[in-house]
Amino acid sequence: MIEDEPARRRGLWTATVHVVTGLPVALLGVALLLPPLVVVPVSAGPLRGVLARRTAAQRQRFAALLNVAIPEVGGAAALRRQAAFHLLAVPFGAAAFAVVVGSASTGLGLLFAAGQRPVFAVSGVGLLVVAAVAVRWLVRLDALLARRLLGPNATEALNARLRELTRARTEAVAAADGERRRIERDLHDGTQQRLVSLAMTLGLLRTEVPDGPARDLVEQAHRQAKATLAELRDFVRGLHPAVLNDRGLDAALSGLVAGAPQPVQLRVDVARRCPPVIEAIAYFVVSEALTNVARHARAERVEVAVVRDADRLRLTVIDDGVGGAADRPGGGLRGLAQRVGSVDGALRIESPTGGPTLVEVELPCGS
Amino acid sequence: MRVVIAEDSVLLRAGLTQVLASRGIEVVAAVADPDALLHAVERLQPDLALVDVRMPPTFTDEGVRAAGLLKRRRPETAVLLLSQYVEERYAADLLVAYTGGLGYLLKDRVADVDEFVEAVRRVAAGGTALDPEVVAQLLARRRTSPMRRLTPRETEVLAAMAEGRSNSAIASALAIGAHSVEKHVNSIFAKLGLVPADTDHRRVLAVLHYLENGGRA
């Protein structure tokens, strides 16, 4: 944690106000904390409520007067530390008050009474300087105490950071998923429709043009339009098939499996559906695994199984190909590992040279 | 023949109307959503409804649902579904319930105008037209049961039957004689345990067998 110097960044006067108001604020805190301590057991709700409000008040005071930000924190250990701070604030506030107000008022008194006595004047100025220096050091000490006791300790700060990162990652994964759906929708509603329309027009034209070179060119254009359409369809379906939202993994995967060049035996046993993001990743895993098999494995047959076991979704893709599959940078299995990892899934690849290859993925499927 | 088109893309509504009109098929209404489709069919009583699968409001399977409703309300209306991708699950859902006057094709097929119009006429006449891609998907799921005993050639013949082709059409598609198609068809009936009766009925049963296995393997 960065130790800034609050009293320098804020003026001496606000720092002095902070030190001087420390005692009344602390006394008020203890006064409010006492009733629930005495009347009801320590762990009860009212005490927690008062503690939380006192901590919030102190946090605001430090932010307003010293520009010191104290992160919020929950949990039993943090509450005990905060209670300790509120109790400690009384003697600390009293001592600080005594030192600063005592030295400053004595110093001022000496200055007023100085007259022709330079010793008094010098002592008065000296005491005022002492008061100012004391304010600086007391404010630093107070800020240090507040950060340690009111704020999170190292473990709590790390845990909070972890929660924050987990949330950010979940959002990023959902955003990427949403983006793929949006692209699929856009291509479906725009480019694909236009291409179909173009192919239709060429199809009509083909039957109108008499035999000859022009007819050959139209035929060629017609074939090209249809080939482009087929290629685009494969790509778009790979992004995010609409049937996945609508009917789930079983329906989406059977369409996928049908497009594989080698026979695929598919078994899907998912009684309750998983969250959409998990379904999308499961679909992607099978899609990538089948692409890999088609490209590299020279397999005769493939078995795909998707089984939900409580709150885990288990996917296995087994092929009887040549084996030797590995997670290489830029390879298909790397992309697969990344997407599985993005939701805390686990990936296992067993692929001895000579085969068979087993790709096993486990995804969290709590809903 | 009178046709109602339901398709949310303006471009494709115009294109389909043009294609059908070029072959003398009258388009009596072209609408953009399932409700308008049901309404138009009630009012105009067309021979066939040409229905896009993805329509408002959710853009998933509205067309499939509308087709089911339409078949229940007015079974004599033929329905030909069109889609950018074909999903065997949709086909299986519909074909298990309704066999006649039903088709499911990729939109790409419209580009082959004469074949497409032939499929439209076949479906309107109470036949079926399944996209080869649907058939491939159904085959991919069919790895159990009596289906397994079919030879690859018999499987091809059955697939062609599921697409809605007649024996002579199958013969020319597979480049084999009409006689051997008949032999294959009879062998399929025997292997699937379909007793001799009305041939058309057995044909439908064979296709159903095939679809049930494919859709729910």
Side-chain angles (χ1 to χ4, degrees):
Chain A
M1 205 174 289
I2 301 156
E3 294 283 339
D4 53 8
E5 298 204 359
R8 292 238 168 112
R9 290 205 281 126
R10 285 299 172 96
L12 180 61
W13 287 116
T14 42
T16 308
V17 169
H18 178 87
V19 171
V20 173
T21 55
L23 182 60
V25 171
L27 284 172
L28 176 69
V30 171
L32 290 169
L33 280 165
L34 276 178
L37 260 176
V38 176
V39 178
V40 286
V42 176
S43 62
L47 180 63
R48 283 167 188 271
V50 175
L51 252 179
R53 282 195 293 281
R54 291 318 304 156
T55 301
Q58 287 284 22
R59 192 177 283 124
Q60 274 172 10
R61 176 168 162 259
F62 276 89
L65 293 173
L66 299 183
N67 204 17
V68 169
I70 300 165
E72 292 189 27
V73 61
L79 278 179
R80 276 197 295 278
R81 285 200 312 274
Q82 289 169 358
F85 177 87
H86 295 306
L87 295 177
L88 210 63
V90 175
F92 182 87
F97 188 91
V99 169
V100 173
V101 174
S103 55
S105 56
T106 312
L108 284 174
L110 282 172
L111 273 180
F112 279 124
Q116 296 300 313
R117 285 166 290 191
V119 181
F120 273 34
V122 169
S123 310
V125 170
L127 279 172
L128 283 179
V129 170
V130 166
V133 171
V135 163
R136 300 265 188 229
W137 282 101
L138 285 166
V139 151
R140 285 172 106 169
L141 189 60
D142 202 12
L144 187 72
L145 270 177
R147 275 217 202 83
R148 288 280 157 83
L149 295 177
L150 291 182
N153 64 21
T155 312
E156 287 161 349
L158 274 177
N159 282 339
R161 182 90 185 115
L162 189 63
R163 275 195 298 277
E164 199 179 299
L165 288 175
T166 307
R167 187 186 48 76
R169 191 188 60 174
T170 306
E171 280 172 9
V173 169
D177 189 46
E179 192 64 0
R180 263 188 295 275
R181 285 163 206 248
R182 190 188 61 74
I183 294 169
E184 192 270 345
R185 259 296 285 284
D186 285 358
L187 286 174
H188 177 272
D189 294 348
T191 316
Q192 277 184 309
Q193 310 280 36
R194 284 186 187 282
L195 262 176
V196 168
S197 175
L198 173 66
M200 268 188 219
T201 310
L202 288 170
L204 279 173
L205 182 60
R206 188 175 66 137
T207 58
E208 303 293 329
V209 178
D211 274 349
R215 167 74 176 265
D216 292 345
L217 284 174
V218 172
E219 294 269 5
Q220 204 181 324
H222 183 240
R223 276 195 305 275
Q224 285 165 355
K226 287 199 296 179
T228 311
L229 205 48
E231 216 168 88
L232 185 63
R233 183 173 57 242
D234 283 348
F235 169 72
V236 173
R237 197 185 190 280
L239 275 178
H240 187 97
V243 70
L244 181 58
N245 285 343
D246 182 27
R247 302 285 170 100
L249 269 175
D250 190 9
L253 289 178
S254 72
L256 182 68
V257 153
Q262 60 287 107
V264 179
Q265 188 169 356
L266 174 67
R267 184 165 71 88
V268 181
D269 184 3
V270 183
R272 267 185 317 125
R273 289 182 62 174
C274 295
V277 166
I278 298 299
E279 285 191 335
I281 291 175
Y283 178 82
F284 175 82
V285 164
V286 176
S287 169
E288 271 303 303
L290 289 179
T291 306
N292 257 325
V293 171
R295 276 201 197 133
H296 310 296
R298 278 175 273 151
E300 300 265 307
R301 45 184 291 110
V302 188
E303 279 178 42
V304 176
V306 180
V307 179
R308 178 170 181 163
D309 182 4
D311 59 355
R312 306 295 284 174
L313 187 67
R314 254 182 267 283
L315 307 151
T316 42
V317 179
I318 304 170
D319 72 73
D320 63 353
V322 295
D327 177 359
R328 294 182 192 87
L333 289 172
R334 174 60 56 88
L336 199 147
Q338 281 166 346
R339 277 193 81 181
V340 168
S342 75
V343 291
D344 284 335
L347 168 72
R348 192 165 69 92
I349 299 166
E350 257 177 41
S351 187
T353 309
T357 297
L358 164 77
V359 174
E360 196 175 60
V361 167
E362 248 192 60
L363 299 170
C365 180
S367 56
Chain B
M1 191 204 301
R2 300 166 74 245
V3 172
V4 167
I5 296 174
E7 158 69 64
D8 63 312
S9 155
V10 182
L11 200 63
L12 290 191
R13 260 201 320 268
L16 287 168
T17 308
Q18 193 184 9
V19 164
L20 293 177
S22 77
R23 296 298 183 271
I25 295 172
E26 187 191 355
V27 176
V28 291
V31 299
D33 63 76
D35 287 343
L37 165 69
L38 294 172
H39 189 70
V41 169
E42 297 276 324
R43 196 164 50 87
L44 301 165
Q45 314 215 324
D47 302 298
L48 179 133
L50 198 56
V51 183
D52 181 20
V53 168
R54 255 166 107 169
M55 280 191 289
T58 70
F59 298 94
T60 52
D61 65 340
E62 274 78 8
V64 179
R65 289 169 203 270
L69 263 176
L70 237 165
K71 285 301 238 181
R72 265 202 299 284
R73 287 193 196 170
R74 223 177 150 269
E76 66 274 25
T77 310
V79 178
L80 177 52
L81 287 165
L82 287 179
S83 184
Q84 297 284 14
Y85 338 94
V86 288
E87 301 290 352
E88 57 87 11
R89 186 57 46 86
Y90 295 157
D93 283 2
L94 281 171
L95 285 156
V96 164
Y98 316 98
T99 44
L102 198 69
Y104 185 19
L105 296 176
L106 275 174
K107 282 184 179 170
D108 306 26
R109 309 303 173 206
V110 185
D112 292 307
V113 174
D114 290 318
E115 285 169 41
F116 172 68
V117 170
E118 191 208 306
V120 168
R121 292 191 195 282
R122 190 164 69 228
V123 172
T128 52
L130 279 192
D131 200 278
E133 291 247 335
V134 180
V135 173
Q137 289 186 19
L138 291 165
L139 276 173
R141 286 303 297 274
R142 183 207 43 71
R143 305 255 173 251
T144 50
S145 81
M147 291 294 194
R148 220 179 208 165
R149 299 204 298 271
L150 302 187
T151 65
R153 185 54 113 184
E154 285 163 359
T155 308
E156 278 175 33
V157 171
L158 182 54
M161 275 164 65
E163 282 175 35
R165 293 177 197 260
S166 65
N167 278 8
S168 57
I170 293 171
S172 64
L174 300 182
I176 52 177
H179 182 67
S180 46
V181 172
E182 246 168 69
K183 235 174 59 194
H184 288 310
V185 170
N186 281 323
S187 167
I188 292 166
F189 289 163
K191 285 182 180 174
L192 297 185
L194 300 171
V195 290
D198 171 35
T199 306
D200 277 352
H201 185 57
R202 279 202 294 174
R203 234 180 144 79
V204 171
L205 285 178
V207 169
L208 273 182
H209 215 88
Y210 165 83
L211 293 173
E212 274 164 4
N213 273 288
R216 298 271 179 270

